[in-house]
Amino acid sequence: MQNAASSQHSPTNGLLLGLVITLAAVLAYASYITVQLAGLRKLQSEMVDRNRQDSLQLLRVQNDLNSIALAMRDMLDTTEPYPLTAWTAQFERIHQDLDTGLKLEERLAGANRTPEQRLFLSQAVSQFWDAMNRMFALAQDGKDAEAREQIRLSLQARQQALSTAVSRLLVENNEGEEQAAARIAQIYDGVQRQLYLFLAATLIAIVLTSLYLIRSNRQIFARLAELSEQRSDLAQKLISTQESTLRHISRELHDEFGQVLTAIGSLIRRTGKDLPADSPVHADLQEVQGIAQSTLENIRSLSQALHPVLLDEAGLVSTLDWYIPTVERQTGLGLQYEKSGHTYPVGASAGVQIYRVLQEALNNVARHSGAKEAWIRLRFEPTILILEIEDHGKGFRPAEGQTGIGLVAMRERAEILGGSLKVSSLTTGGTLVHLEVPREQVEPHAE
């Protein structure tokens, strides 16, 4: 029994372990997704967006440099009627806008710029404006030819160098955006791959858990079926033992005590005949004889209640013909008894089970239904024997979680006979007990 109990362990521990593993996997995957999404958000906000804004500022700087180049071209045109100092205000506006754009670009570029690049750009811009200031100083002194020569030899070269440097930075920004896009695509691919793996692992876990549950449930239900069968066998053995004991007690009461009381009554009658009728002893003997006769009748009634001798001597039909009027007298119920079909013999062992079902059903009617009448129908059909007990009382309403032991015993008796018992509530109120037993199970040759 210990080995059997250990093999039928509960699946609760395994299920709890599976639940813990599943929750841990879900938390781990959620953490992984959170980290990846945070990385994506950082990459997109701190790199891609800033890189795009940096590129816009570089385009702004490049546009200012192009404006300077166009202005210097016009300044070199000798056909222009304006003096060189006329471009001072325009270059001041470009200077302010260029400085603002370079400051914004430096802040947005961040770690994307090397110290050498920052130093070169800063020095180149500073040297360009120093040269520009010297050129305007020459122009104010009336040295237009020398100023134009400085534009041609120095300022245009410096402007082209700055434009080249800014173009190179724009190219680096474009390359950075492509690399960031590639990294984003790589992260998305990794997340998608991990998602597929997680879904596959989840499905596998669900399948394994389901198989484990199915296996555990099959074992549990098989064990329950085995226990139910053992309980049914035990109940049937108890019923058989009970009937055997009751039969033995009934016979002992009927044969032993009945004969003793009969003998005592006979002795008292013979003794009384020898005494005068007016003798006090004669009156006492008459009283003792009445007590003995009453006791004999009570013992015979008790014997019949324990196990009707008629079942063994006259069969089921005769026993019911005697029992039903007896119940009417004892309980005050109005019993309508109906027999139908071609009667065939019922063995004593089967008859006692049918008799006990009827006895329990009528006891329930008398005690619980509140009905004043009941209908009993015994039908002998070609293949089955049917017994029905119907009342129009309160109906069958067992308390929640409770099943009467009498109902259990009735079902077990039906199973002993290989039949079936149904207890149902009628729509009009009341209860119907329906017992069906195969004919081959009740006939004497089938025992």
Side-chain angles (χ1 to χ4, degrees):
M1 291 298 294
Q2 185 177 0
N3 294 334
S6 61
S7 64
Q8 300 293 333
H9 62 279
S10 172
T12 303
N13 293 333
L15 291 176
L16 288 176
L17 178 61
L19 178 61
V20 170
I21 294 174
T22 302
L23 291 177
V26 170
L27 292 176
Y29 183 73
S31 301
Y32 169 77
I33 293 296
T34 303
V35 171
Q36 294 299 317
L37 291 178
L40 280 175
R41 189 179 297 108
K42 181 178 179 181
L43 182 64
Q44 189 170 7
S45 62
E46 296 186 2
M47 295 186 64
V48 177
D49 292 343
R50 292 184 62 179
N51 198 32
R52 188 177 296 111
Q53 294 177 11
D54 184 34
S55 296
L56 290 176
Q57 296 302 319
L58 289 174
L59 289 173
R60 177 183 179 181
V61 171
Q62 194 174 47
N63 184 61
D64 289 338
L65 292 175
N66 290 335
S67 298
I68 291 173
L70 292 175
M72 287 190 300
R73 185 194 65 182
D74 294 338
M75 292 171 69
L76 292 175
D77 188 0
T78 57
T79 61
E80 287 286 339
Y82 303 106
L84 294 179
T85 54
W87 274 272
T88 303
Q90 180 179 354
F91 273 90
E92 287 294 333
R93 289 193 302 270
I94 296 175
H95 189 185
Q96 293 177 0
D97 188 73
L98 185 62
D99 285 346
T100 303
L102 287 174
K103 289 178 181 178
L104 290 174
E105 191 280 332
E106 184 178 2
R107 188 173 70 249
L108 292 171
N112 293 334
R113 297 286 179 268
T114 63
E116 291 79 8
Q117 289 176 327
R118 295 176 184 275
L119 180 62
F120 172 77
L121 189 61
S122 175
Q123 290 178 349
V125 171
S126 178
Q127 292 172 2
F128 175 81
W129 289 115
D130 288 343
M132 182 64 67
N133 291 331
R134 288 194 300 270
M135 184 272 298
F136 278 116
L138 291 173
Q140 288 178 354
D141 293 338
K143 300 177 182 179
D144 290 347
E146 293 181 9
R148 287 188 175 91
E149 187 68 19
Q150 187 170 353
I151 292 173
R152 187 179 300 108
L153 296 178
S154 177
L155 289 177
Q156 286 184 334
R158 293 180 185 278
Q159 185 272 337
Q160 289 178 357
L162 283 172
S163 295
T164 302
V166 171
S167 297
R168 189 177 298 112
L169 292 177
L170 282 171
V171 171
E172 291 179 358
N173 279 359
N174 292 333
E175 292 177 351
E177 288 185 5
E178 293 177 356
Q179 293 175 358
R183 288 178 60 187
I184 290 174
Q186 183 179 4
I187 292 174
Y188 272 119
D189 291 339
V191 171
Q192 186 178 21
R193 184 170 56 254
Q194 293 296 329
L195 177 61
Y196 290 149
L197 291 176
F198 179 76
L199 289 177
T202 302
L203 290 176
I204 293 174
I206 291 174
V207 170
L208 292 177
T209 304
S210 300
L211 292 176
Y212 177 71
L213 279 175
I214 292 172
R215 178 176 176 272
S216 298
N217 286 338
R218 289 182 62 183
Q219 291 179 345
I220 291 173
F221 280 110
R223 181 60 177 166
L224 288 175
E226 181 182 355
L227 292 175
S228 178
E229 185 177 355
Q230 292 177 357
R231 181 201 60 79
S232 180
D233 291 341
L234 178 60
Q236 293 178 10
K237 289 179 180 178
L238 288 175
I239 290 174
S240 298
T241 303
Q242 179 188 20
E243 290 298 334
S244 176
T245 303
L246 292 177
R247 183 186 295 110
H248 176 72
I249 295 174
S250 175
R251 288 188 179 277
E252 289 295 326
L253 289 174
H254 185 272
D255 295 342
E256 295 295 332
F257 291 94
Q259 291 178 6
V260 170
L261 290 173
T262 302
I264 291 173
S266 299
L267 289 174
I268 292 174
R269 282 195 301 271
R270 287 199 301 267
T271 304
K273 290 179 182 180
D274 298 334
L275 296 174
D278 57 352
S279 172
V281 178
H282 185 275
D284 292 340
L285 289 177
Q286 290 294 325
E287 183 179 356
V288 172
Q289 184 179 1
I291 294 172
Q293 185 63 33
S294 176
T295 305
L296 177 62
E297 291 176 358
N298 290 335
I299 287 178
R300 286 176 178 174
S301 297
L302 179 60
S303 175
Q304 290 293 334
L306 293 174
H307 181 82
V309 180
L310 283 174
L311 280 173
D312 300 326
E313 297 177 352
L316 177 65
V317 175
S318 299
T319 301
L320 297 187
D321 292 338
W322 161 80
Y323 174 67
I324 292 173
T326 303
V327 173
E328 284 187 303
R329 291 193 304 270
Q330 293 175 348
T331 62
L333 288 173
L335 300 180
Q336 307 297 324
Y337 178 40
E338 176 186 348
K339 288 181 290 187
S340 61
H342 180 68
T343 304
Y344 43 79
V346 177
S349 60
V352 72
Q353 306 299 342
I354 298 172
Y355 171 79
R356 293 303 185 191
V357 170
L358 174 62
Q359 188 179 41
E360 182 64 33
L362 292 179
N363 286 338
N364 289 335
V365 172
R367 294 176 183 175
H368 308 298
S369 72
K372 299 300 182 183
E373 288 184 306
W375 288 262
I376 303 168
R377 292 181 288 271
L378 183 64
R379 301 205 302 267
F380 289 88
E381 297 189 359
T383 58
I384 56 175
L385 174 66
I386 298 177
L387 174 65
E388 290 183 340
I389 303 95
E390 178 182 347
D391 70 80
H392 296 167
K394 298 178 182 178
F396 179 68
R397 296 185 181 89
E400 184 178 356
Q402 295 182 355
T403 301
I405 190 170
L407 180 59
V408 174
M410 291 165 66
R411 295 189 188 280
E412 294 297 338
R413 292 181 186 277
E415 290 186 8
I416 291 175
L417 299 176
S420 62
L421 180 83
K422 296 180 181 178
V423 181
S424 56
S425 295
L426 301 176
T427 56
T428 57
T431 305
L432 175 65
V433 178
H434 181 89
L435 173 66
E436 289 188 5
V437 183
R439 178 175 178 175
E440 62 270 13
Q441 296 294 329
V442 300
E443 289 184 321
H445 61 77
E447 296 183 2

